[in-house]
Amino acid sequence: MIYVIPLLRPVPLFCAENIARIASAHRWVLAVYLGTVFITLPALVIVLVGVL
């Protein structure tokens, strides 16, 4: 969906490059990012959908 809008095409690449740069300097950032994206956010969605 982002790729359809030409102005937003560089955004995913920019974000990926910045996360890679930060994670190469601080390894714990990678663990926090992965835990947030693959554990915390899905669990939050499950809880919110279950409540609503």
Side-chain angles (χ1 to χ4, degrees):
M1 302 239 342
I2 290 176
Y3 198 73
V4 176
I5 304 169
L7 182 65
L8 296 178
R9 288 181 184 169
V11 171
L13 183 60
F14 175 76
C15 292
E17 287 174 345
N18 281 331
I19 288 182
R21 184 177 41 80
I22 293 168
S24 68
H26 307 285
R27 296 286 181 187
W28 61 270
V29 172
L30 182 60
V32 170
Y33 173 76
L34 290 174
T36 301
V37 170
F38 291 107
I39 297 172
T40 306
L41 288 179
L44 184 64
V45 169
I46 291 170
V47 168
L48 289 177
V49 168
V51 170
L52 299 176

